[in-house]
């Protein structure tokens, strides 16, 4: 079984998803706790020279799977749906090819620096914080274009998003 998943966006723009098994955390203590993380191969690696992943957000998917959103350069968001593998508890399978591409047609094409899924019952809504200060909302069920676009007056990068029920959103902006 699995303790959880660890998603990492690396400095070179690649996205790696690690499946952390439960076993190392139930046995004897390790001399160096970080040793456990260095031994896990990525369960999924997304690496494409055409775009760079800047942020990620994940939520449970249908049938025990995972829906992963990657915010990229050029105002693009890629969606991946990883399915739970039958017969192997805690194992996810999926293709590194994006299942859907969400694109906001802005002339300046800002990078997507932060992402978050809204909590239920609005968990089909995906928030993206842009480098130009925008907060963009997509409906995963209708991904053709954003359903809402908020532009802050300060126009500084949105570095973090924290959604609350009833569509309240906290945003962390630089200076």
């Amino acid at each position: 079984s699995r303790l959880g998943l660890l998603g990492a966006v690396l400095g070179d723009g690649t996205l790696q998803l690690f499946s952390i098994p439960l076993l190392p955390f139930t046995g004897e203590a390790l001399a160096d706790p970080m040793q456990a993380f260095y031994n896990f191969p990525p369960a999924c690696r997304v690496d494409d020279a055409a775009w760079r992943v800047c942020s990620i957000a994940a939520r449970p998917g249908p049938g025990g799977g995972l829906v992963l959103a990657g915010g990229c350069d050029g105002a693009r968001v890629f969606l991946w749906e990883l399915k739970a593998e039958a017969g192997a508890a805690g194992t996810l399978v999926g293709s590194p090819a994006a299942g859907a591409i969400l694109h906001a047609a802005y002339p300046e094409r800002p990078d997507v620096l932060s992402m978050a899924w809204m909590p239920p019952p609005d968990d089909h809504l995906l928030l993206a914080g842009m480098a130009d200060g925008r907060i963009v909302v997509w409906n995963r069920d209708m991904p053709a274009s954003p359903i809402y676009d908020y532009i802050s007056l300060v126009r500084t990068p949105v570095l973090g998003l924290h959604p609350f029920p009833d569509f309240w959103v906290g945003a962390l902006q630089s200076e």
Side-chain angles (χ1 to χ4, degrees):
S1 71
R2 180 178 71 220
L3 177 67
L5 294 172
L6 173 67
V9 175
L10 304 181
D12 63 357
T14 59
L15 165 66
Q16 293 190 8
L17 184 65
F18 296 88
S19 180
I20 309 299
L22 189 57
L23 186 62
F25 298 96
T26 58
E28 295 180 19
L30 296 172
D32 178 12
M34 292 307 293
Q35 176 185 355
F37 292 97
Y38 293 134
N39 294 328
F40 301 139
C44 176
R45 179 182 170 93
V46 179
D47 185 7
D48 190 329
W51 44 272
R52 178 177 53 92
V53 179
C54 303
S55 58
I56 58 171
R59 72 169 180 83
L66 180 74
V67 178
L68 188 66
C72 301
D73 54 358
R76 288 175 290 192
V77 174
F78 292 90
L79 293 178
W80 296 273
E81 192 167 314
L82 301 175
K83 309 263 188 234
E85 187 175 76
T91 303
L92 294 174
V93 294
S95 168
I101 301 173
L102 311 180
H103 181 75
Y106 302 124
E108 61 275 9
R109 301 176 54 92
D111 294 349
V112 181
L113 299 180
S114 58
M115 305 205 60
W117 290 96
M118 288 298 293
D122 296 317
D123 57 351
H124 59 285
L125 299 178
L126 178 63
L127 307 170
M130 309 295 239
D132 66 352
R134 295 176 194 264
I135 297 175
V136 180
V137 181
W138 273 282
N139 182 338
R140 182 183 183 272
D141 301 328
M142 301 181 317
S145 64
I147 61 170
Y148 184 77
D149 186 352
Y150 169 78
I151 303 172
S152 68
L153 295 176
V154 288
R155 304 284 293 198
T156 58
V158 180
L159 303 176
L161 292 167
H162 186 79
F164 298 96
D166 299 326
F167 214 78
W168 287 89
V169 177
L172 170 67
Q173 290 186 281
S174 65
E175 306 203 25

